[in-house]
């Protein structure tokens, strides 16, 4: 019997952050979630736009951003400032006492620079080493809702650009000893789709065994693979449930449940 208090970690992607109507609905729904909660956000599209206006080209490999020194300045400004503080202000307007954090704040997420991968240097991109769940839980117990930007640090004075899905799953894992955690990945589809061209072909539940089968037969491919791998790792590490769902349906009952 799990008698831990419930906590919900919601990850919202850059596409939703960019769409004001979707974002307003998500923040309203997030505010209505009962109990303790954490919001993790992306912001890649906004970073690309700001970089472009400054004459800085965005380079992507397999959907991941190459982060040189110039781009690091842009993502630090956009993720840690523009996107994060707007979300915090809008959550306050919805009655949520939010606090914006990067991984450097209170040393909450430490990472290391990603080593060369298949000969590709991703630049100032961080792979997470540790999330301080104890420190986050202290904030949460004080009635604070952390709003986490996709930025971490290496403990030597350097900020690192870090994937928001990874931050969400690592944060959920670090909080699992303290709470009964539900991790929700919200994006622009209703869930994991059996047929990418049919928005209503949602797969209601995926287990480890299902995932192996869907991967082999090609039902699940592309960018959804790492998302589900992240989700299954979170389950293995003690997270209660993981849900992949539409940004405007973060009620815990919609979408695809990973277990």
């Amino acid at each position: 019997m799990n008698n831990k208090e419930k906590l919900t970690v919601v990850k919202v992607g850059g596409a939703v952050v960019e769409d004001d109507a979707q974002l307003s609905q998500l923040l309203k729904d997030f505010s209505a979630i009962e109990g303790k909660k954490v919001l993790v956000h992306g912001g890649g599209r906004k970073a690309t736009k700001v970089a472009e206006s400054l004459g800085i080209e965005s380079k992507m490999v397999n959907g991941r951003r190459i982060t040189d020194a110039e781009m690091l300045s842009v993502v630090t400004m956009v993720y840690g400032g523009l996107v994060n503080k707007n979300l915090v202000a809008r959550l306050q307007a919805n009655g949520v006492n939010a606090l914006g954090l990067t991984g450097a704040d209170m040393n909450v997420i430490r990472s290391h620079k990603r080593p060369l991968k298949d000969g590709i240097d991703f630049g100032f991109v961080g792979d997470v080493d540790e999330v301080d769940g104890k420190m986050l839980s202290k904030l949460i117990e004080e009635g604070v809702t952390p709003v986490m930007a996709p930025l971490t640090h290496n403990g030597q004075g350097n900020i690192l650009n870090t994937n928001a899905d990874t931050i969400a799953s690592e944060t959920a894992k670090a909080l699992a000893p303290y709470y009964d955690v539900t991790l929700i990945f919200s994006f622009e589809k209703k869930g994991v789709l059996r047929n990418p061209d049919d928005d209503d072909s949602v797969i209601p539940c995926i287990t480890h065994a299902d995932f192996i089968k869907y991967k082999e037969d090609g039902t699940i491919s592309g960018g959804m693979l790492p998302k589900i791998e992240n989700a299954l790792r979170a389950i293995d590490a003690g997270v209660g449930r993981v849900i992949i769902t539409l940004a405007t349906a973060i009620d815990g009952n919609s979408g695809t449940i990973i277990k």
Side-chain angles (χ1 to χ4, degrees):
M1 176 75 185
N2 189 346
N3 56 5
K4 287 183 196 160
E5 207 173 345
K6 288 192 183 315
L7 175 130
T8 309
V9 178
V10 176
K11 187 265 171 174
V12 54
V16 177
V17 167
E18 281 286 278
D19 182 319
D20 199 60
Q22 276 193 75
L23 182 61
S24 293
Q25 186 62 50
L26 176 113
L27 294 177
K28 199 172 152 194
D29 294 345
F30 179 79
S31 307
I33 291 172
E34 286 182 18
K36 295 170 166 43
K37 49 204 166 195
V38 176
L39 186 65
V40 179
H41 67 83
R45 294 185 188 196
K46 181 72 86 179
T48 300
K49 276 187 185 169
V50 171
E52 198 180 327
S53 72
L54 296 169
I56 299 165
E57 186 193 349
S58 291
K59 299 184 191 77
M60 312 288 277
V61 176
N62 299 330
R64 300 284 168 120
R65 187 182 299 277
I66 305 270
T67 308
D68 60 14
E70 276 189 320
M71 188 54 79
L72 182 66
S73 294
V74 171
V75 297
T76 304
M77 289 189 290
V78 172
Y79 301 163
L82 190 60
V83 175
N84 188 272
K85 297 310 165 197
N86 275 323
L87 288 174
V88 167
R90 290 175 73 163
L91 283 170
Q92 298 292 359
N94 277 284
V96 175
N97 190 18
L99 172 69
L101 294 172
T102 69
D105 296 295
M106 303 187 308
N107 190 29
V108 80
I109 308 180
R110 188 79 73 90
S111 64
H112 61 271
K113 184 179 176 298
R114 177 173 296 172
L116 282 181
K117 211 170 181 182
D118 303 326
I120 298 160
D121 183 357
F122 280 92
F124 296 99
V125 166
D127 287 334
V128 173
D129 291 321
E130 191 181 5
V131 177
D132 190 341
K134 189 175 183 184
M135 184 57 83
L136 277 175
S137 70
K138 281 183 183 173
L139 276 180
I140 292 163
E141 287 306 311
E142 289 298 323
V144 170
T145 294
V147 178
M148 302 179 72
L151 299 166
T152 57
H153 78 128
N154 67 354
Q156 290 147 26
N158 302 110
I159 290 276
L160 294 167
N161 182 12
T162 305
N163 179 267
D165 278 359
T166 304
I167 285 181
S169 60
E170 292 296 331
T171 298
K173 283 163 31 178
L175 288 168
Y178 306 93
Y179 302 100
D180 173 15
V181 179
T182 296
L183 169 59
I184 300 177
F185 289 110
S186 72
F187 71 145
E188 54 277 8
K189 299 286 183 190
K190 290 181 180 178
V192 182
L193 304 178
R194 203 176 290 279
N195 172 5
D197 300 323
D198 177 3
D199 279 356
D200 292 321
S201 65
V202 174
I203 302 168
C205 178
I206 296 174
T207 62
H208 274 280
D210 295 332
F211 179 58
I212 291 164
K213 187 178 76 183
Y214 289 140
K215 198 164 129 182
E216 281 173 357
D217 69 16
T219 300
I220 296 171
S221 60
M224 191 50 78
L225 290 171
K227 206 182 271 289
I228 295 175
E229 280 161 0
N230 252 332
L232 289 167
R233 275 198 292 272
I235 295 289
D236 289 344
V239 172
R241 68 209 58 76
V242 182
I243 301 167
I244 298 175
T245 189
L246 192 64
T248 51
I250 54 164
D251 54 11
N253 302 314
S254 311
T256 301
I257 296 174
I258 313 290
K259 60 183 189 183

